Amino acid sequence: MERVSPGTTLTNVERILGSDSGVLDFEIADDDTYYVWDGDDREDADWTVEDVDRVENHTEDRFIMFPEGDGFTCKIDVNDDGWERARCWCE
């Protein structure tokens, strides 16, 4: 797993695994690496995922989000308070 940081934009994200602790794992099409964003290790991490087709339970505290389109684009940047944030949408 590779940690992503501000300034990162991921494309062709086939699914996003989320947890109640604010961690997001990104699975990219045709890439064997999982990319991880931990939201500055905060339970109230700042993330938004739009254009979700469906959400499935994965394990007790994990869920999977699938895109409406071919894949999500996810951008990691910094919010007005100086904390990392993740924003995902379909093109």
Side-chain angles (χ1 to χ4, degrees), residues 13-58:
V13 178
E14 290 184 322
R15 61 188 198 159
I16 301 169
L17 282 77
S19 74
D20 61 359
S21 63
V23 175
L24 299 177
D25 297 337
F26 306 99
E27 183 178 333
I28 310 284
D30 301 322
D31 189 339
D32 293 336
T33 303
Y34 265 91
Y35 297 87
V36 178
W37 177 75
D38 64 14
D40 289 328
D41 293 321
R42 299 180 318 139
E43 284 190 30
D44 61 345
D46 184 0
W47 61 269
T48 302
V49 179
E50 298 176 0
D51 307 315
V52 176
D53 180 52
R54 70 183 191 282
V55 177
E56 296 179 2
N57 287 331
H58 180 60

Side-chain angles (χ1 to χ4, degrees), residues 73-87:
T73 296
C74 297
K75 182 176 181 177
I76 311 303
D77 60 10
V78 177
N79 67 19
D80 293 337
D81 295 327
W83 295 99
E84 287 185 22
R85 68 178 176 183
R87 300 284 182 257

